[in-house]
Amino acid sequence: MINGEAGVAFIGSGSAQVETALSNDMLSRVVDTSDEWISSRTGIGQRHVANGDESLAVLAAQAAKGAISTANLTPDDIDLIILATSTPDDLFGTACQVQAAIGATRAVAFDLTAACSGFVFGVVTAAQFIRTGTYQNVLVIGADLLSRWVDWEDRTTCVLFGDGAGAVVMQACDRDRLLGFEMHSDGTLNGCLNLAYTAQSVPLVDGVTAQKGTFTAITMNGREVYRFAVSRVPEVLEKTLFHAGLVASDMDWLILHQANQRILDAVAKRLNLPAERVVSNMAKHGNTSAASIPIALDEWVRMGKIQPGHKIAMSGFGAGLTWGAVLLEWGR
Ligand code: ACO
């Protein structure tokens, strides 16, 4: 623990995928779809799908270990773990299982749920603890196994989602590399995208009933979410840039939630950013929800494309509805 105010640095990244990849062609043997439809409408070529033995905690721990090791830290250095997920192994939370799995004995750990905005909201939450001087090293993980909750008979949703995990380590430092952020919610649009609990009444005694139910598969009004994304995402990025005294062309990289290539193209066009600065990996992974931004970040770091000092704009958007943006400078 340190005292007083601090800046935030982004010093390590990691990511992990489950082994099994499900190509569009394979999926076209499950539902009435085609590689042509999925590729042209979304840019997705395949997605990874966890089998019955694979867990969110194991995948998240793998990504976390990668981030801690590239940050040149040990698990004992971590003060706080924030696990952004909508698909926990345990509704009471999965972050503590990750803490145990990586041996981060000193860390406090909790889950954060904000669907596909979860990683961005997690980074902003972590920054508050660092800026106030409460914690020095914070691990933020975005991990989701949405394949658990898709309706494999619904071609309008099952082709979109995949499984994965990504993580970053954020550290207290003198010069603040978190250049700006914005977070938003609009619950009036909640019905556009849901993984909802449905209950049945269970009579107990003397007119008292309890409820017993389950979560039903993902439902989405794709057109509404598309419209929301192509208007709100450029807006929130422009606002965040404005407040930071920056313009889009100052950004070396734009990392958007990997939902649909058409959304990425529309946002890049509105910001006047060339395609080569827009990170896209959905062809390999599909939409991995809270994991999509940190996986993309980690892949670009590992390929040597993102270098220390590069400026990155990130934006997450999705269920809630929620959306937000973070501007950062990569590296110590
Ligand atoms: N294969 C073949 N045909 C299909 C498929 C499929 N997988 N899915 C839908 N179709 C058909 C429809 O039935 C429809 O046929 P019809 O014209 O005969 O009725 C036609 O294709 C067009 O359907 P649309 O829904 O209009 O297709 P659209 O071009 O809007 O693309 C999509 C759908 C890809 C879902 C798009 O709307 C989208 O990307 N929306 C945003 C989703 C998103 O960003 N989600 C992010 C948040 S995720 C989170 O928070 C967890």
Side-chain angles (χ1 to χ4, degrees), residues 31-34 37-38 41-42 86 114-117 144 146 154-161 193 218 220-229 257-263 287-290 317-322:
V31 282
D32 180 16
T33 190
S34 64
W37 193 96
I38 303 170
R41 298 280 180 142
T42 70
S86 304
C116 303
S117 307
D144 267 310
L146 278 184
D154 176 8
R155 68 176 183 173
T156 67
T157 50
C158 76
V159 302
L160 303 173
F161 300 108
L193 184 46
I218 295 167
M220 179 171 72
N221 181 335
R223 284 184 199 181
E224 224 19 81
V225 177
Y226 187 91
R227 263 197 293 275
F228 148 79
H257 168 47
Q258 304 286 299
N260 185 321
Q261 186 63 43
R262 288 188 294 154
I263 295 176
N287 175 346
T288 56
S289 192
F317 55 91
L321 296 182
T322 54

Side-chain angles (χ1 to χ4, degrees), residues 125-144:
T125 305
Q128 309 312 305
F129 287 104
I130 293 174
R131 281 183 168 173
T132 53
T134 308
Y135 295 127
Q136 183 142 25
N137 295 309
V138 182
L139 175 67
V140 181
I141 309 166
D144 267 310

Side-chain angles (χ1 to χ4, degrees), residues 13-15 119 140-142 165-168 255 290-299:
S13 67
S15 62
F119 180 73
V140 181
I141 309 166
V168 292
I255 309 183
S292 88
I293 292 176
I295 292 174
L297 171 73
D298 183 53
E299 288 184 350

Side-chain angles (χ1 to χ4, degrees), residues 169-186:
V169 173
M170 295 163 58
Q171 186 172 62
C173 67
D174 293 338
R175 187 168 65 81
D176 204 358
R177 271 81 150 190
L178 177 62
L179 310 174
F181 68 83
E182 290 274 338
M183 300 194 291
H184 296 278
S185 305
D186 183 354

